[in-house]
Amino acid sequence: MTAEDFQNGQILLIDKPLQWTSFQAVNKMKWVLKSKLGLKKIKIGHAGTLDPLASGLLLVCTGKFTKIISELQGQPKEYTGTFYLGATTPSYDLETSIDKTFPVSHINDLLLYNTTKQFLGEIDQIPPIFSAIKKEGIRLYEHARAGEFVEIASRKTTIYEFEITRVAIHEIDFRVVCSKGTYIRSLAYDFGKALESGSHLIALRRTKIGNYHVNDAMDVTLFEDSVAPNSTSD
């Protein structure tokens, strides 16, 4: 594609690697477009943040297509991943260490199946304290890292599909289709409570946004290789 193609607007499907922030991925792509195509400026943004500990589909819009980012953000999203049963962490994932442990001997396949049904439809969900949501101008994770207590209001979210795809002793794999604003980390925590145990997220991958699938996405480094240098400038 040419510089003009990117300026007119593209929706790029990127498979964000682990440990990268969504901002880093977009910033890398912006640098590639500017340096390889000789652009002085280019509008570019993503349609939905992924945590550094999550991999998977990131929709990146360029040029005039940045105007439809909010529309893309509103599309249902599909995730796959793994919950670890019998323990919780303050961040609800692997960012922090285990703080409490719980029994799991009473958990069986039937209980897991019945518990997933409790979360289908519209639910009230409290975002994790380790999140980028702002309260009084300060991000929640900053309060958390400072050891400060913050009261967080619940939010409405919708779980369209929730299935368990593998069961081990402490680990369960899942697939979830949900609305915008759903925190899978909070789902892991609430799922553990509903089982009268504990749970935290140990793996997460976003596989779909609307009709866009991660199978059609490319790695950031492959994107860099795919952009051919030219002298077009803006």
Side-chain angles (χ1 to χ4, degrees), residues 193-204:
K193 285 179 65 177
L195 291 170
E196 296 185 352
S197 182
S199 174
H200 63 281
L201 184 68
I202 63 171
L204 184 65

Side-chain angles (χ1 to χ4, degrees), residues 51 90-93 95-96 127-132 140-141 144-145 152 183 185:
D51 289 338
S91 60
Y92 302 169
D93 64 4
E95 183 180 345
T96 54
I129 183 64
F130 282 80
S131 65
L140 290 181
Y141 64 74
R145 289 167 183 165
I152 308 171
Y183 280 90
R185 285 181 288 151

Side-chain angles (χ1 to χ4, degrees), residues 213-232:
H213 200 287
V214 72
N215 288 350
D216 300 316
M218 71 171 68
D219 186 85
V220 178
T221 54
L222 291 179
F223 170 76
E224 182 175 6
D225 294 339
S226 73
V227 177
N230 63 44
S231 58
T232 303

Side-chain angles (χ1 to χ4, degrees), residues 20 59 78 83 90 114 138 151 222:
W20 280 54
L59 294 183
E78 180 186 78
F83 295 159
N114 287 334
I138 301 175
E151 189 171 341
L222 291 179

